[in-house]
Amino acid sequence: MGRNNFDALLRGEIHPDDAPPELRELARLIQLARGPAEAAELINESVVVSDVAAAVRRASVLGGRSGVSWKRRALRLVSAKAIAVSAALLIGGGVAAAATGSLPAPVQRAVADGLRHIGVSLPEPSTETTSHVHQSTAVPHGQTSLAKFGLCVAYLHQVTLHASAGVLSSARFAELSTSASADGETVVHYCEVIAGDRSRSMATGSSGQAETKIGHRGSASHGAAKTTRTTGSAQSNGNGHGKPSGSTTPSGSAPGKSRRHQASTRTTRPARHASGRTQRHDQPAKPTAQPGRGPGNSNRHQPPSKSTTPPRRGSGAGSGKGAAHGKSAATPAGKGGSAAHR
Amino acid sequence: MVVERDLAVALEAARRGEDWGVSLLFRAIQPQLLRYLGQNGPQVAQDLASETWLSVAQDLSSFEGSVSDFRALLFTIARRRLVDHYRREQRRPQQAPLDDGREFASQGSVEAEAELLSAGEAIAALVSSLPKGQSEVILLRIVGDLSVEEVARVMGRSTGAIRVLQHRALRRLEKKFQADGVTI
């Protein structure tokens, strides 16, 4: 029997009487197997039909008529998930970068300003940020107090977690270690002091902000919003070096002020502690007089002109500002400015 | 009897979610589905067939193809449900087939017995002595009314492999009924 006959047999097209004798019974069974529906086979027709029709209508309403295959839907689903994960990673990475002050200065400033409205405090871009850019020509110790604060918090956290000195294997922590050893202290103690000072200065943030505003009023009397910060700083430190150098952004908003204040309170830490420590900072700071280097670094290493100045007072334009103009003020004037920030 | 052209119209209506279209398709294909799935007992077959219809309903509105394609889709889903069922029941004792072909063969008068046989019994007589692959091909070809190419798609094999299985199954059936000297 050929293929065509087999196919015809399987389709029930060959009547048993027409089939060869050896296939007659097979043909008969096939015809029986293909017989008409029996009542028992349609017993649940009404239920299934109504369910199926309802499901089809529901799927049509939900967009099932798009003609999209399951594969494509699955692909879309996977793509959507991939996009969501990527977005989460990007956002998370961006926030992390903003929290560590690693973003470019304009972006960092924008993010910090934006998040401040919802009560999130992020580091403001400072000369240190820019000094990172020029690190190839600058002294490698270019860290803001805020960055050091962050490093210290991270270090203390790591030490708490691991309780071992192996934490210092990181290059950034090694830098911290260098600073601490320059002060003649252990890294833990050094960090505890920095972290404690920072916390205290943040706790007094409201009054400090008020004082910053006072500083601004003083600057307003000079009639130049641009010079407000420097003027403020000059007033606060009183050494007259508040020359408006680099900072060209007239950010006269209240958040900006408080931001500056916070930075300044940070930088007052060495003044409140043993001045000897800041003296010791002088030595590595000497090379900071290199051209192109931001005074922010040198600032930190300057002897405090007002070591008795309460942290809140010195703040005003002090820190943040000094950092901001630092670049152009890498001159002796810049030094003075840096002293003021302290 | 519903002809293919009527089923094409019914399929269009079913795609729009109209009850009469679904009903016509159900009456034409449900018996085939039950007979394909029926080797595991009538209740299991009913359950699996209902699951199959509901699964197809999810995508019926966007389905594009002929009645034959739709039937192939139904049997593809039914086969998956059956495989799932086998996996679930893997560690349970196997159910005896509905009937044994030899029992049919041993029974006497051809015409009388043939008229007494139900579709399910005839199917059992056909496939009970076949290996699994061959019996599935025969079932899909006879009961499912699918072409070799459609069976190949449903089973995920090549058409050549399906043809070989089909040929071996028919030869085996031919020999079986000759050896039994049966005429049912």
Coordinates of all heavy atoms in Angstrom, one line a residue, chain B residues 51-116:
Chain B
E51 N -8.9 22.8 30.2 CA -7.7 23.6 30.4 C -7.1 24.1 29.0 O -6.7 25.2 28.9 CB -6.6 22.9 31.1 CG -6.9 22.6 32.6 CD -5.7 21.8 33.3 OE1 -4.6 21.8 32.7 OE2 -6.0 21.2 34.3
T52 N -7.2 23.2 28.1 CA -6.7 23.5 26.7 C -7.5 24.6 26.1 O -7.0 25.6 25.6 CB -6.7 22.2 25.9 OG1 -5.9 21.2 26.5 CG2 -6.2 22.5 24.5
W53 N -8.8 24.5 26.2 CA -9.7 25.5 25.6 C -9.4 26.9 26.3 O -9.4 27.9 25.6 CB -11.1 25.1 25.7 CG -11.6 24.1 24.7 CD1 -11.7 22.8 24.8 CD2 -11.9 24.4 23.3 NE1 -12.1 22.2 23.7 CE2 -12.2 23.2 22.7 CE3 -11.9 25.6 22.5 CZ2 -12.6 23.1 21.4 CZ3 -12.3 25.5 21.2 CH2 -12.6 24.3 20.6
L54 N -9.3 26.9 27.6 CA -9.1 28.1 28.3 C -7.8 28.7 27.9 O -7.6 30.0 27.8 CB -9.3 27.9 29.8 CG -10.7 27.6 30.2 CD1 -10.8 27.3 31.7 CD2 -11.6 28.8 29.9
S55 N -6.8 27.9 27.7 CA -5.5 28.4 27.3 C -5.5 29.0 26.0 O -4.9 30.1 25.7 CB -4.4 27.3 27.3 OG -4.3 26.8 28.6
V56 N -6.2 28.4 25.1 CA -6.3 28.9 23.7 C -7.1 30.2 23.7 O -6.8 31.1 23.0 CB -7.0 27.9 22.8 CG1 -7.4 28.5 21.5 CG2 -6.0 26.7 22.5
A57 N -8.1 30.3 24.6 CA -8.9 31.5 24.6 C -8.1 32.8 24.9 O -8.4 33.9 24.5 CB -10.0 31.3 25.7
Q58 N -7.0 32.6 25.7 CA -6.2 33.8 26.0 C -5.6 34.4 24.8 O -5.4 35.6 24.8 CB -5.0 33.3 26.9 CG -5.4 32.6 28.2 CD -6.2 33.5 29.1 OE1 -5.9 34.7 29.3 NE2 -7.2 32.9 29.8
D59 N -5.4 33.6 23.8 CA -4.7 34.2 22.6 C -5.6 34.1 21.3 O -5.1 34.4 20.2 CB -3.4 33.4 22.3 CG -2.3 34.3 22.0 OD1 -2.4 35.5 22.4 OD2 -1.3 33.9 21.4
L60 N -6.8 33.7 21.5 CA -7.6 33.4 20.3 C -7.9 34.7 19.6 O -8.0 34.7 18.3 CB -9.0 32.8 20.8 CG -9.9 32.4 19.7 CD1 -9.3 31.4 18.7 CD2 -11.2 31.7 20.2
S61 N -8.1 35.8 20.3 CA -8.4 37.1 19.6 C -7.3 37.5 18.7 O -7.6 38.2 17.7 CB -8.7 38.1 20.7 OG -7.5 38.4 21.4
S62 N -6.1 37.1 18.9 CA -5.0 37.5 18.1 C -4.6 36.4 17.2 O -3.5 36.5 16.5 CB -3.8 38.0 18.9 OG -3.4 37.0 19.8
F63 N -5.3 35.3 17.2 CA -4.9 34.2 16.4 C -5.1 34.5 14.9 O -6.1 35.1 14.5 CB -5.7 33.0 16.8 CG -5.5 31.8 15.9 CD1 -4.3 31.0 16.1 CD2 -6.3 31.4 14.8 CE1 -4.1 29.9 15.3 CE2 -6.1 30.4 14.0 CZ -5.0 29.6 14.2
E64 N -4.1 34.1 14.1 CA -4.2 34.3 12.6 C -3.9 33.0 12.0 O -2.8 32.5 12.1 CB -3.3 35.4 12.2 CG -3.7 36.8 12.6 CD -2.7 37.9 12.3 OE1 -1.7 37.5 11.7 OE2 -2.9 39.0 12.7
G65 N -4.8 32.4 11.2 CA -4.6 31.2 10.6 C -5.9 30.5 10.2 O -7.0 31.0 10.5
S66 N -5.7 29.3 9.6 CA -6.9 28.6 9.2 C -7.4 27.7 10.3 O -6.8 27.7 11.4 CB -6.5 27.7 8.0 OG -5.5 26.7 8.4
V67 N -8.5 27.0 10.0 CA -9.1 26.1 11.0 C -8.1 25.0 11.3 O -8.0 24.6 12.4 CB -10.4 25.5 10.5 CG1 -11.0 24.5 11.4 CG2 -11.4 26.6 10.3
S68 N -7.4 24.6 10.3 CA -6.4 23.5 10.4 C -5.3 24.0 11.4 O -4.9 23.2 12.2 CB -5.9 23.1 9.1 OG -5.0 22.0 9.2
D69 N -4.9 25.2 11.2 CA -3.9 25.8 12.1 C -4.4 25.8 13.5 O -3.7 25.6 14.5 CB -3.5 27.2 11.6 CG -2.7 27.1 10.3 OD1 -2.1 26.1 10.0 OD2 -2.8 28.1 9.6
F70 N -5.7 26.2 13.6 CA -6.3 26.3 15.0 C -6.3 25.0 15.6 O -6.1 24.8 16.8 CB -7.7 27.0 14.9 CG -8.4 27.1 16.2 CD1 -7.9 28.0 17.1 CD2 -9.4 26.3 16.5 CE1 -8.6 28.1 18.3 CE2 -10.1 26.4 17.7 CZ -9.6 27.3 18.6
R71 N -6.7 24.0 14.8 CA -6.8 22.6 15.4 C -5.4 22.2 15.9 O -5.2 21.6 16.9 CB -7.3 21.7 14.3 CG -7.7 20.3 14.9 CD -8.2 19.4 13.8 NE -9.6 19.6 13.5 CZ -10.0 20.1 12.3 NH1 -9.1 20.4 11.3 NH2 -11.3 20.2 12.1
A72 N -4.4 22.5 15.0 CA -3.0 22.1 15.4 C -2.6 22.8 16.7 O -1.9 22.2 17.5 CB -2.1 22.5 14.3
L73 N -3.0 24.1 16.8 CA -2.7 24.8 18.0 C -3.3 24.2 19.2 O -2.7 24.0 20.3 CB -3.2 26.3 17.9 CG -3.0 27.2 19.1 CD1 -1.6 27.4 19.5 CD2 -3.7 28.5 18.9
L74 N -4.6 23.8 19.1 CA -5.3 23.2 20.2 C -4.6 21.9 20.6 O -4.4 21.6 21.8 CB -6.7 22.9 19.8 CG -7.8 23.8 20.1 CD1 -9.1 23.4 19.6 CD2 -7.9 24.0 21.7
F75 N -4.2 21.1 19.6 CA -3.6 19.8 20.0 C -2.1 20.0 20.5 O -1.7 19.2 21.4 CB -3.5 18.9 18.8 CG -4.8 18.1 18.6 CD1 -5.8 18.6 17.8 CD2 -5.0 16.9 19.2 CE1 -7.0 17.9 17.7 CE2 -6.2 16.2 19.1 CZ -7.2 16.7 18.4
T76 N -1.5 21.1 20.1 CA -0.2 21.4 20.7 C -0.3 21.7 22.2 O 0.4 21.2 23.0 CB 0.4 22.6 20.0 OG1 0.5 22.3 18.6 CG2 1.8 22.9 20.5
I77 N -1.3 22.5 22.5 CA -1.5 22.9 23.9 C -2.0 21.7 24.7 O -1.6 21.4 25.8 CB -2.5 24.0 24.0 CG1 -1.9 25.3 23.3 CG2 -2.9 24.3 25.4 CD1 -2.9 26.4 23.3
A78 N -2.9 20.9 24.0 CA -3.4 19.7 24.7 C -2.2 18.7 25.0 O -2.2 18.1 26.1 CB -4.4 19.0 23.8
R79 N -1.3 18.6 24.1 CA -0.2 17.7 24.3 C 0.7 18.2 25.5 O 1.1 17.4 26.3 CB 0.6 17.6 23.0 CG 1.8 16.6 23.1 CD 2.4 16.5 21.7 NE 3.4 15.4 21.8 CZ 4.7 15.6 22.1 NH1 5.1 16.9 22.4 NH2 5.6 14.6 22.1
R80 N 0.8 19.5 25.5 CA 1.6 20.1 26.7 C 0.9 19.8 28.0 O 1.6 19.5 29.0 CB 1.8 21.6 26.5 CG 2.8 21.9 25.4 CD 3.0 23.3 25.1 NE 3.8 23.6 24.0 CZ 3.8 24.8 23.3 NH1 3.0 25.8 23.7 NH2 4.5 24.9 22.3
R81 N -0.4 20.0 28.0 CA -1.1 19.7 29.2 C -1.0 18.2 29.6 O -0.9 17.9 30.8 CB -2.6 20.0 29.0 CG -2.9 21.5 28.8 CD -2.8 22.2 30.2 NE -2.9 23.6 30.0 CZ -2.0 24.5 29.7 NH1 -0.7 24.0 29.6 NH2 -2.2 25.8 29.6
L82 N -1.0 17.4 28.6 CA -0.9 15.9 28.8 C 0.5 15.6 29.4 O 0.6 14.8 30.3 CB -1.1 15.2 27.5 CG -1.3 13.7 27.6 CD1 -2.5 13.4 28.4 CD2 -1.5 13.1 26.2
V83 N 1.5 16.3 28.8 CA 2.9 16.0 29.4 C 3.0 16.5 30.8 O 3.6 15.8 31.7 CB 3.9 16.8 28.5 CG1 5.3 16.8 29.1 CG2 4.0 16.1 27.1
D84 N 2.4 17.7 31.1 CA 2.3 18.1 32.5 C 1.6 17.1 33.4 O 2.1 16.9 34.5 CB 1.6 19.5 32.5 CG 2.4 20.6 31.9 OD1 3.7 20.4 31.7 OD2 1.9 21.7 31.6
H85 N 0.6 16.6 32.8 CA -0.2 15.6 33.6 C 0.7 14.4 33.9 O 0.7 13.9 35.0 CB -1.5 15.2 32.9 CG -2.2 14.1 33.5 ND1 -3.0 14.2 34.6 CD2 -2.3 12.8 33.1 CE1 -3.5 13.1 34.9 NE2 -3.1 12.2 34.1
Y86 N 1.4 13.9 32.9 CA 2.2 12.8 33.1 C 3.3 13.1 34.1 O 3.6 12.2 35.0 CB 2.9 12.4 31.8 CG 2.0 11.7 30.8 CD1 2.2 11.9 29.4 CD2 1.1 10.8 31.2 CE1 1.3 11.2 28.5 CE2 0.3 10.1 30.3 CZ 0.4 10.3 29.0 OH -0.4 9.7 28.1
R87 N 3.8 14.3 34.1 CA 4.9 14.6 35.1 C 4.3 14.6 36.5 O 4.9 14.2 37.4 CB 5.4 16.0 34.8 CG 6.4 15.9 33.6 CD 6.9 17.3 33.3 NE 7.8 17.3 32.1 CZ 8.0 18.3 31.3 NH1 7.4 19.4 31.5 NH2 8.8 18.2 30.3
R88 N 3.1 15.1 36.6 CA 2.4 15.1 37.9 C 2.2 13.7 38.4 O 2.3 13.4 39.6 CB 1.1 15.9 37.9 CG 1.3 17.4 37.9 CD 0.0 18.1 38.2 NE -1.1 17.8 37.3 CZ -1.4 18.4 36.2 NH1 -0.7 19.5 35.9 NH2 -2.4 18.1 35.4
E89 N 1.8 12.9 37.5 CA 1.4 11.5 37.9 C 2.5 10.5 37.8 O 2.3 9.3 37.9 CB 0.2 11.1 36.9 CG -1.0 12.0 37.0 CD -1.7 11.9 38.3 OE1 -1.9 10.8 38.8 OE2 -2.1 13.0 38.8
Q90 N 3.7 11.0 37.6 CA 4.8 10.1 37.3 C 5.0 9.1 38.4 O 5.3 7.9 38.1 CB 6.1 11.0 37.2 CG 7.1 10.2 36.4 CD 8.3 11.2 36.0 OE1 8.4 12.3 36.6 NE2 9.1 10.8 35.1
R91 N 4.8 9.5 39.6 CA 5.1 8.5 40.7 C 3.8 7.8 41.2 O 3.9 7.0 42.1 CB 5.7 9.3 41.9 CG 7.1 9.8 41.5 CD 7.8 10.4 42.6 NE 9.1 10.9 42.2 CZ 9.9 11.6 43.0 NH1 9.6 11.8 44.2 NH2 11.1 12.0 42.5
R92 N 2.8 8.1 40.5 CA 1.6 7.3 40.9 C 1.5 6.1 40.0 O 2.0 6.0 38.9 CB 0.3 8.2 40.7 CG 0.3 9.4 41.6 CD -1.0 10.1 41.4 NE -1.0 11.4 42.1 CZ -2.0 12.2 42.2 NH1 -3.1 11.9 41.6 NH2 -1.9 13.3 42.9
P93 N 0.7 5.1 40.5 CA 0.6 3.9 39.7 C -0.1 4.2 38.4 O -1.0 5.0 38.3 CB -0.2 3.0 40.6 CG -0.6 3.7 41.8 CD 0.1 5.0 41.8
Q94 N 0.4 3.6 37.3 CA -0.2 3.8 36.0 C -1.6 3.3 36.0 O -1.9 2.2 36.5 CB 0.7 3.1 35.0 CG 2.0 3.7 34.8 CD 2.0 5.0 34.0 OE1 1.1 5.2 33.1 NE2 2.8 6.0 34.4
Q95 N -2.4 4.0 35.3 CA -3.8 3.6 35.1 C -3.9 2.6 33.9 O -3.2 2.8 32.9 CB -4.7 4.8 34.8 CG -5.8 4.9 35.8 CD -6.7 6.1 35.5 OE1 -6.2 7.1 34.9 NE2 -7.9 6.0 35.8
A96 N -4.7 1.6 34.1 CA -4.8 0.6 33.0 C -5.5 1.3 31.8 O -6.4 2.2 32.0 CB -5.6 -0.6 33.5
P97 N -5.1 0.9 30.6 CA -5.8 1.5 29.5 C -7.3 1.1 29.5 O -7.7 0.2 30.2 CB -5.1 0.8 28.3 CG -4.2 -0.2 28.8 CD -4.1 0.0 30.3
L98 N -8.0 1.9 28.7 CA -9.4 1.7 28.7 C -9.8 0.3 28.4 O -10.7 -0.3 29.0 CB -10.0 2.7 27.7 CG -11.5 2.9 27.7 CD1 -11.9 3.5 29.1 CD2 -12.0 3.8 26.6
D99 N -9.2 -0.2 27.4 CA -9.5 -1.6 27.0 C -8.3 -2.1 26.3 O -7.4 -1.4 25.9 CB -10.7 -1.6 26.0 CG -12.0 -1.8 26.8 OD1 -12.0 -2.7 27.6 OD2 -12.9 -1.0 26.5
D100 N -8.2 -3.4 26.2 CA -7.1 -4.0 25.5 C -7.5 -4.5 24.1 O -8.5 -5.1 23.9 CB -6.6 -5.2 26.3 CG -5.3 -5.7 25.8 OD1 -5.3 -6.6 24.9 OD2 -4.2 -5.2 26.2
G101 N -6.7 -4.2 23.2 CA -7.0 -4.6 21.8 C -7.2 -6.1 21.6 O -8.1 -6.5 20.8
R102 N -6.5 -6.8 22.4 CA -6.6 -8.3 22.2 C -8.0 -8.8 22.7 O -8.5 -9.7 22.1 CB -5.6 -9.0 23.0 CG -4.2 -8.8 22.5 CD -3.1 -9.5 23.2 NE -1.8 -9.2 22.7 CZ -1.3 -9.8 21.7 NH1 -1.9 -10.7 21.0 NH2 -0.1 -9.4 21.2
E103 N -8.5 -8.0 23.6 CA -9.9 -8.4 24.1 C -10.9 -8.2 22.9 O -11.8 -9.0 22.7 CB -10.3 -7.6 25.3 CG -9.5 -8.0 26.5 CD -9.9 -7.2 27.7 OE1 -10.9 -6.5 27.7 OE2 -9.1 -7.2 28.7
F104 N -10.7 -7.1 22.3 CA -11.5 -6.8 21.1 C -11.4 -7.9 20.1 O -12.3 -8.4 19.5 CB -11.3 -5.5 20.5 CG -11.6 -4.3 21.3 CD1 -10.7 -3.6 21.9 CD2 -13.0 -4.1 21.5 CE1 -11.1 -2.5 22.7 CE2 -13.3 -3.0 22.3 CZ -12.4 -2.2 22.9
A105 N -10.1 -8.3 19.9 CA -9.8 -9.2 18.8 C -10.4 -10.6 19.1 O -10.7 -11.3 18.2 CB -8.3 -9.4 18.7
S106 N -10.5 -10.9 20.4 CA -11.0 -12.2 20.7 C -12.5 -12.3 20.7 O -13.0 -13.4 20.8 CB -10.5 -12.6 22.1 OG -11.1 -11.8 23.0
Q107 N -13.1 -11.2 20.5 CA -14.5 -11.3 20.5 C -15.1 -11.5 19.1 O -14.5 -11.0 18.1 CB -15.1 -10.0 21.1 CG -14.8 -9.8 22.6 CD -15.1 -8.5 23.1 OE1 -15.7 -7.7 22.4 NE2 -14.8 -8.2 24.4
G108 N -16.1 -12.2 19.1 CA -16.6 -12.9 17.9 C -17.1 -12.1 16.8 O -16.2 -11.5 16.1
S109 N -18.3 -12.0 16.5 CA -18.8 -11.5 15.3 C -18.4 -10.1 14.9 O -18.5 -9.2 15.7 CB -20.3 -11.5 15.4 OG -20.9 -10.7 14.5
V110 N -17.9 -10.0 13.7 CA -17.3 -8.7 13.2 C -18.3 -7.6 13.2 O -18.1 -6.6 13.9 CB -16.8 -9.0 11.8 CG1 -16.2 -7.7 11.3 CG2 -15.8 -10.1 11.8
E111 N -19.3 -7.8 12.5 CA -20.3 -6.7 12.3 C -20.9 -6.3 13.6 O -21.0 -5.1 13.9 CB -21.3 -7.1 11.2 CG -20.8 -7.3 9.8 CD -20.1 -6.1 9.3 OE1 -20.6 -5.0 9.6 OE2 -19.1 -6.2 8.6
A112 N -21.3 -7.2 14.3 CA -22.0 -7.0 15.6 C -21.1 -6.2 16.5 O -21.4 -5.2 17.1 CB -22.5 -8.3 16.2
E113 N -19.9 -6.7 16.6 CA -18.9 -6.1 17.5 C -18.6 -4.7 17.1 O -18.5 -3.7 17.9 CB -17.6 -6.9 17.6 CG -17.8 -8.3 18.3 CD -18.1 -8.1 19.8 OE1 -17.9 -7.0 20.3 OE2 -18.6 -9.1 20.4
A114 N -18.4 -4.5 15.8 CA -18.0 -3.2 15.3 C -19.1 -2.2 15.6 O -18.8 -1.0 15.9 CB -17.8 -3.3 13.8
E115 N -20.3 -2.6 15.5 CA -21.4 -1.6 15.8 C -21.5 -1.3 17.3 O -21.9 -0.2 17.6 CB -22.7 -2.2 15.3 CG -22.8 -2.1 13.7 CD -24.1 -2.7 13.2 OE1 -24.9 -3.0 14.0 OE2 -24.2 -2.8 12.0
L116 N -21.0 -2.2 18.1 CA -21.1 -2.0 19.5 C -19.9 -1.2 20.0 O -20.0 -0.6 21.1 CB -21.1 -3.3 20.2 CG -22.4 -4.1 20.1 CD1 -22.3 -5.5 20.8 CD2 -23.6 -3.4 20.6

